[in-house]
Amino acid sequence: MKRAYTDEHAASGVSAPLPEIETWPNQYREPYEIEIDMPEFTSVCPKTGLPDFGKILLRYVPNRRCLELKSYKMYLLAYRNLGIFQENAVNRILRDVVKYAAPRSATVIGDFTPRGGLGTIVTATWNAKRGKR
């Protein structure tokens, strides 16, 4: 059986340039959780070129910085024309949130609309105490 997906498909979008996410100083030292919901997330399948639709939910506990919502929105909108697998999009979003905000912890959940009868939910988590996902 011939492989339909290539290594280039798998790596597509992982290192693509995207807008920076701006942050602002957190005014509170006691831990609290922020939840940001993007119900109309869109990216592109790198093999078929068809759009992938879904919901991105970010939950994070800020440390010294909080995400500025408009810049986070513009960052997510940049995926609209980016060829990237759903799993890679969720992990890339988490990586970039950690890079810009350095939260105490963060979780990104991508709940993608079914296509051809299959829906996908991808969850990626990071914790500063562990320093990794």
Side-chain angles (χ1 to χ4, degrees):
M1 183 171 156
K2 183 180 174 185
R3 243 180 93 192
Y5 290 94
T6 66
D7 293 343
E8 289 78 25
H9 291 131
S12 180
V14 173
S15 299
L18 291 170
E20 290 187 10
I21 304 170
E22 294 181 39
T23 62
W24 52 273
N26 181 11
Q27 304 301 306
Y28 304 95
R29 291 294 165 226
E30 292 301 316
Y32 63 98
E33 184 175 80
I34 297 172
E35 185 172 291
I36 305 169
D37 179 21
M38 171 60 122
E40 297 177 348
F41 179 80
T42 305
S43 59
V44 176
C45 174
K47 179 177 184 317
T48 65
L50 296 173
D52 286 324
F53 302 104
K55 172 181 173 178
I56 296 291
L57 179 66
L58 166 62
R59 287 190 189 113
Y60 76 101
V61 177
N63 193 9
R64 292 189 169 99
R65 312 287 307 167
C66 293
L67 297 177
E68 195 281 317
L69 291 178
K70 185 174 180 185
S71 73
Y72 179 64
K73 176 182 172 180
M74 299 309 290
Y75 166 85
L76 291 176
L77 288 175
Y79 282 86
R80 185 175 15 194
N81 297 316
L82 182 63
I84 188 168
F85 284 144
Q86 298 166 352
E87 298 84 352
N88 290 344
V90 169
N91 280 283
R92 170 80 191 264
I93 292 166
L94 178 64
R95 183 183 78 189
D96 288 345
V97 165
V98 169
K99 173 183 171 182
Y100 291 111
R104 294 175 190 218
S105 64
T107 297
V108 176
I109 302 169
D111 186 354
F112 295 92
T113 304
R115 186 171 4 143
L118 292 175
T120 304
I121 298 174
V122 181
T123 303
T125 302
W126 182 88
N127 186 309
K129 289 182 182 178
R130 292 191 313 261
K132 56 186 172 187
R133 292 185 273 167

